[in-house]
Amino acid sequence: MVERMINMGYHAATDFIPQLTDCLARNFIWMTSCDSFHNVPFELLLSCVKHPCLTVDSEKHLCDSILLWLAANTIPYDLLNSTGDARLEIFTEIRTSLLSLPFAAGKRRCPLFSKFAERSVDAILSLATSSSFSLANILGGGDFSQLRIRLTECTKILDLSGCPQISLPLLLLSMLPFSYSVDTMLTKKLNQLPLKLERFNMDVSRIPWETFPVLTFEAVEVVDVSNCPMLHLEAAIECFSKSFPSLTTLKAAYTSNFRTMKLYQLLQRCPLLSNIDLTVESNPVIPAKVSVISSFPVVKLQISTSSNEETCPAVPTFHFSRRLSNITNLILEGRTDIYDSDLHNIAECCPSLCCINLNVCTSITDSGISVILLKCVGLHSIFACDTFFAHNCVLSLCRDISRFDGVAMKMEKNTNSLAYKLQILHIGGCKGSSLEMLDVSDTKVSCHAVGHVVRRSPHLKCLIARGCRHLLKEESNILENSPALSYNCPVLYYELGKSCNLEEISLGWGFSFFSLEALRPAIKMLRTFIVGLGGSLGEDGLKLVPTFCPWLETLILYFQVISDSVVRNILETLKNLQVLALCYCFGEISSLSFQFSAPCLRKLKLERVTAQMTNDDLLTLAQNCMNITELSLLGCRRLNSESQDTISNGWPGLISLHLEDCGEVTAKGVTSLMNCQALEDLLLRHNVSLQLLNVLHFCRSNKNQMGEHQ
């Protein structure tokens, strides 16, 4: 329709412009994805943006689309001198108070949007830091429309991630009929909600929800409220259950005010949910240094001593008169408030579970995890790093799932075992015939064993084998006795190159230029490439990486020989590169390495590779890598306090900044980093004359806005 309208001419199509505007406003996301979007007349674009049924996933999506259109229809000179451009009125239609903080802060460098971005950041911080939320105080009793989240009958995705200003009253305001926005009594009730929750000890069941006549949005299927620290998730779920009856996916990562014990209530409130992400940030506790005998005493293990027969842990018998859930994908990573009893309840209520992530859930035990493995026979992806996954889990994986009757497993029927059907087991090796991920990092696994798994796993997508010294040792023994491998082409890499099509690989000891050559057929579609200690590609090998892996998005190198020519080749050739880390490499690089534009680069880590970096070099880096959100510099001793202005002005949207052993970078003016108002992670270590007072002031002013991420 867009193409047809353009061909006919906008002004010649006046007869059906209202209908066209209505249709495009409801399908705005589709329109912006069309190749001809930049040819849409400005008048039509403005009409769509002003339309009451405009449907977008988020204000960020709307803002990005407008900026994309303006960039395509404005010559470069006008981009820098656009203050008089009448078309900029379209920005007034964006509800800047609802933009995500990292996005708004990053757009302060955009010539077209800088003033609006400044206002947006101020509004977001005003909402996020209000000790007592009051809509009337914020807007002076005026129009609340700028605080209403866009929800229409066509909305399928609601993305509020990264918005510290989103709270329960603001969410409810958007779900009420517009006429209720001016209801003084209802506004008063909204403002009292946080106080009532505190008074009722966060018991959402005691809130009179019937006093809030929320609308129903049947089309909403996906809600993302990750990183919204002010939003009381348990209360928000009550709203979602009433307004979004078709909800299938809930992303609520890094939300600390949700208790895992309420997970079952979530499943009951939203019966169509199939995907849940409740990840929290955590510093993993190493299980080897913690002893948890059992967090669910009722589970009793029965391990047979017979060499011919092994019995899996007995599953405690409970009878639940509960409605079964549709959950297929459940992410609980980092949640230490989940116990074996919770896993048993999940196993009972979620028979369709296909993927579970229990990484760093250190309060669960081997026997607890085994219950999930026994009950959820459809599992194909298991993430259990930094847990007590051990012998009982292995027995459960190998058990014949076609005979779930509590008797001993028969090992000869291994094709019916859960292990045989696994696609991902993120704890170490597995003999599954369709394995997609294999992580044997920092183990003593042999080359022969890994090669055996590779030969049986033609669908392998990810291999993580850093820190495996035995791979190098065994390969050396094989090479000495094998004339066919006289060119130093290790057997393992030959097997990978022959049978796999990898997307991620992490290697170390024994990985060389010749290994890269052997891997070439397997890494044509590689997305992530990590070379660690013990690997040695040399400059020639590193120059071949962009040729062998043209689709790389992440490249991390430790202890490799690098030079300006190597880095220039990487940045110039890998157009999709988003993450680049050069750590403790041999040889130094200068500003010549970063004289090529890298607009896709989001994360840059330079550790002990740029000792001669000056303020001017840092400025060159900021000009050519404008969209970096995570920056880590280590050992840049020639930087001084002026470099802080370069960092804050060059990357105002930074969310993570690490400066270690960087001369006088933090000696003066630490407060200039306050311009990076989306900053969540700040590390200043071993820098000269650190002004602690400024750092504390900075942290205090941002404490309530972004959480206390370390």
Side-chain angles (χ1 to χ4, degrees):
M1 183 180 291
V2 176
E3 289 83 355
R4 180 183 174 189
M5 178 275 299
I6 294 171
N7 292 333
M8 291 178 60
Y10 174 70
H11 297 290
T14 53
D15 292 341
F16 63 92
I17 283 178
Q19 295 88 342
L20 179 64
T21 302
D22 181 76
C23 177
L24 293 181
R26 295 173 185 270
N27 297 277
F28 191 80
I29 295 175
W30 168 82
M31 180 176 72
T32 59
S33 67
C34 295
D35 294 337
S36 56
F37 172 61
H38 63 280
N39 293 325
V40 173
F42 176 76
E43 293 85 353
L44 179 59
L45 178 62
L46 182 60
S47 297
C48 290
V49 172
K50 288 184 175 183
H51 198 281
C53 291
L54 175 66
T55 302
V56 291
D57 295 347
S58 64
E59 289 301 308
K60 172 185 173 181
H61 182 274
L62 175 61
C63 184
D64 260 339
S65 301
I66 293 174
L67 288 172
L68 180 66
W69 188 94
L70 287 173
N73 289 275
T74 309
I75 61 176
Y77 175 79
D78 290 339
L79 283 173
L80 300 175
N81 301 273
S82 55
T83 53
D85 192 339
R87 295 178 301 179
L88 297 188
E89 68 170 296
I90 196 171
F91 285 133
T92 61
E93 299 301 320
I94 298 175
R95 299 172 185 179
T96 52
S97 299
L98 300 178
L99 289 172
S100 71
L101 182 56
F103 177 81
K107 290 301 178 184
R108 289 183 298 179
R109 286 193 64 184
C110 177
L112 293 172
F113 195 66
S114 57
K115 291 183 178 179
F116 294 94
E118 289 286 355
R119 295 177 202 162
S120 175
V121 170
D122 291 342
I124 292 170
L125 295 181
S126 176
L127 285 167
T129 57
S130 298
S131 56
S132 58
F133 185 88
S134 173
L135 299 174
N137 290 343
I138 292 171
L139 294 180
D143 183 17
F144 294 120
S145 61
Q146 288 297 308
L147 285 177
R148 287 181 67 92
I149 301 165
R150 295 183 195 269
L151 284 169
T152 72
E153 61 182 12
C154 299
T155 301
K156 292 185 177 181
I157 300 176
L158 177 60
D159 184 1
L160 301 174
S161 59
C163 295
Q165 72 275 29
I166 297 297
S167 61
L168 183 61
L170 196 148
L171 181 66
L172 265 174
L173 175 71
S174 308
M175 295 177 170
L176 295 170
F178 188 80
S179 59
Y180 284 80
S181 301
V182 293
D183 187 326
T184 306
M185 291 300 297
L186 193 60
T187 301
K188 184 178 180 180
K189 292 178 182 178
L190 286 173
N191 291 330
Q192 291 175 346
L193 264 180
L195 296 176
K196 285 187 176 181
L197 281 171
E198 289 184 14
R199 189 186 315 143
F200 297 150
N201 196 26
M202 301 301 170
D203 184 358
V204 298
S205 63
R206 299 180 63 182
I207 300 294
W209 297 106
E210 63 279 359
T211 61
F212 303 105
V214 296
L215 297 172
T216 300
F217 301 92
E218 297 277 355
V220 175
E221 297 177 353
V222 179
V223 172
D224 191 346
V225 288
S226 301
N227 238 332
C228 295
M230 285 189 65
L231 182 63
H232 189 283
L233 185 57
E234 292 178 22
I237 288 169
E238 291 290 332
C239 303
F240 297 155
S241 65
K242 299 176 184 299
S243 285
F244 308 145
S246 303
L247 187 64
T248 61
T249 300
L250 174 63
K251 300 178 182 179
Y254 310 111
T255 304
S256 58
N257 54 19
F258 180 80
R259 296 167 292 177
T260 306
M261 61 182 294
K262 296 293 183 179
L263 179 60
Y264 175 70
Q265 282 85 341
L266 166 60
L267 301 181
Q268 297 300 295
R269 294 286 188 277
C270 305
L272 297 184
L273 271 177
S274 60
N275 295 280
I276 299 178
D277 184 356
L278 295 173
T279 301
V280 295
E281 188 171 359
S282 64
N283 295 317
V285 178
I286 305 302
K289 298 185 178 181
V290 179
S291 296
V292 179
I293 298 175
S294 176
S295 60
F296 190 16
V298 184
V299 177
K300 297 181 180 180
L301 307 184
Q302 296 178 356
I303 307 299
S304 171
T305 57
S306 170
S307 58
N308 298 320
E309 185 177 276
E310 291 185 87
T311 304
C312 291
V315 180
T317 303
F318 290 89
H319 299 284
F320 289 86
S321 57
R322 297 179 175 180
R323 180 170 53 186
L324 297 182
S325 168
N326 293 311
I327 292 296
T328 59
N329 186 19
L330 179 60
I331 304 176
L332 300 171
E333 181 171 342
R335 290 200 166 266
T336 56
D337 62 337
I338 182 171
Y339 301 96
D340 287 357
S341 54
D342 298 309
L343 291 183
H344 178 77
N345 291 337
I346 291 171
E348 289 288 338
C349 299
C350 307
S352 303
L353 195 62
C354 296
C355 174
I356 188 166
N357 188 330
L358 300 172
N359 286 345
V360 205
C361 294
T362 53
S363 297
I364 57 179
T365 69
D366 181 31
S367 59
I369 303 173
S370 67
V371 171
I372 282 278
L373 303 183
L374 284 171
K375 290 283 191 178
C376 301
V377 296
L379 275 173
H380 59 65
S381 300
I382 302 167
F383 298 82
C385 295
D386 295 309
T387 65
F388 293 90
F389 189 103
H391 183 64
N392 292 305
C393 293
V394 174
L395 294 180
S396 299
L397 282 176
C398 296
R399 186 166 187 226
D400 186 351
I401 60 177
S402 66
R403 302 179 64 230
F404 188 61
D405 55 6
V407 300
M409 67 177 181
K410 303 298 182 182
M411 298 300 293
E412 62 269 23
K413 294 185 178 182
N414 61 355
T415 56
N416 288 325
S417 68
L418 184 61
Y420 188 82
K421 302 178 184 300
L422 277 181
Q423 296 177 5
I424 295 176
L425 177 59
H426 206 338
I427 56 147
C430 176
K431 296 183 179 180
S433 62
S434 57
L435 195 67
E436 294 186 357
M437 174 185 285
L438 179 62
D439 182 356
V440 293
S441 55
D442 298 309
T443 65
K444 295 182 179 181
V445 67
S446 69
C447 175
H448 174 74
V450 177
H452 178 70
V453 174
V454 169
R455 279 192 296 273
R456 296 186 60 186
S457 305
H459 301 295
L460 190 68
K461 300 294 183 184
C462 172
L463 174 63
I464 303 174
R466 282 178 59 199
C468 298
R469 291 174 177 263
H470 281 236
L471 292 181
L472 173 62
K473 181 179 179 181
E474 186 166 335
E475 290 289 6
S476 300
N477 295 336
I478 293 174
L479 291 171
E480 290 176 4
N481 302 311
S482 179
L485 299 172
S486 57
Y487 288 101
N488 216 18
C489 176
V491 176
L492 172 60
Y493 305 124
Y494 175 76
E495 289 291 345
L496 285 166
K498 183 174 63 174
S499 60
C500 297
N501 188 12
L502 296 170
E503 295 180 0
E504 178 179 350
I505 193 166
S506 178
L507 300 165
W509 293 97
F511 188 65
S512 65
F513 173 87
F514 299 103
S515 308
L516 184 66
E517 285 280 3
L519 271 178
R520 184 172 185 175
I523 58 177
K524 294 181 293 186
M525 302 303 293
L526 201 66
R527 295 292 193 274
T528 299
F529 192 12
I530 303 174
V531 182
L533 180 63
S536 180
L537 289 176
E539 286 197 42
D540 292 337
L542 289 175
K543 288 180 179 178
L544 287 177
V545 168
T547 303
F548 289 2
C549 318
W551 300 103
L552 267 187
E553 297 174 356
T554 298
L555 179 60
I556 301 175
L557 303 174
Y558 295 90
F559 300 101
Q560 299 301 300
V561 177
I562 62 171
S563 64
D564 283 330
S565 60
V566 168
V567 180
R568 283 202 306 270
N569 181 52
I570 289 171
L571 292 177
E572 187 178 13
T573 310
L574 296 176
K575 300 300 183 183
N576 299 312
L577 194 65
Q578 298 179 22
V579 178
L580 176 62
L582 305 174
C583 307
Y584 299 92
C585 292
F586 305 105
E588 291 188 1
I589 58 176
S590 66
S591 60
L592 296 175
S593 296
F594 298 98
Q595 289 186 346
F596 292 95
S597 178
C600 290
L601 197 64
R602 295 292 185 271
K603 183 175 181 179
L604 179 63
K605 182 182 291 188
L606 301 174
E607 298 185 353
R608 301 294 184 193
V609 294
T610 51
Q612 302 303 315
M613 176 182 280
T614 63
N615 293 347
D616 292 337
D617 297 335
L618 188 63
L619 180 60
T620 299
L621 179 63
Q623 292 171 342
N624 291 307
C625 305
M626 298 175 58
N627 296 316
I628 289 177
T629 58
E630 297 184 41
L631 177 66
S632 177
L633 300 177
L634 173 58
C636 304
R637 296 184 176 181
R638 296 188 63 185
L639 295 178
N640 59 36
S641 58
E642 294 180 4
S643 64
Q644 295 162 88
D645 289 330
T646 301
I647 292 173
S648 59
N649 294 325
W651 298 293
L654 277 179
I655 60 175
S656 175
L657 176 62
H658 289 192
L659 300 174
E660 300 184 59
D661 194 16
C662 285
E664 298 182 354
V665 69
T666 57
K668 298 179 181 178
V670 172
T671 51
S672 65
L673 295 178
M674 292 180 67
N675 290 328
C676 301
Q677 290 171 314
L679 202 60
E680 299 176 357
D681 176 19
L682 175 64
L683 175 64
L684 305 175
R685 180 183 293 165
H686 301 307
N687 300 296
V688 177
S689 303
L690 178 65
Q691 292 185 345
L692 183 59
L693 183 61
N694 286 336
V695 177
L696 291 175
H697 174 66
F698 172 79
C699 294
R700 189 182 305 115
S701 64
N702 287 273
K703 179 179 179 181
N704 295 325
Q705 303 163 14
M706 299 164 286
E708 297 180 348
H709 299 282
Q710 296 297 325

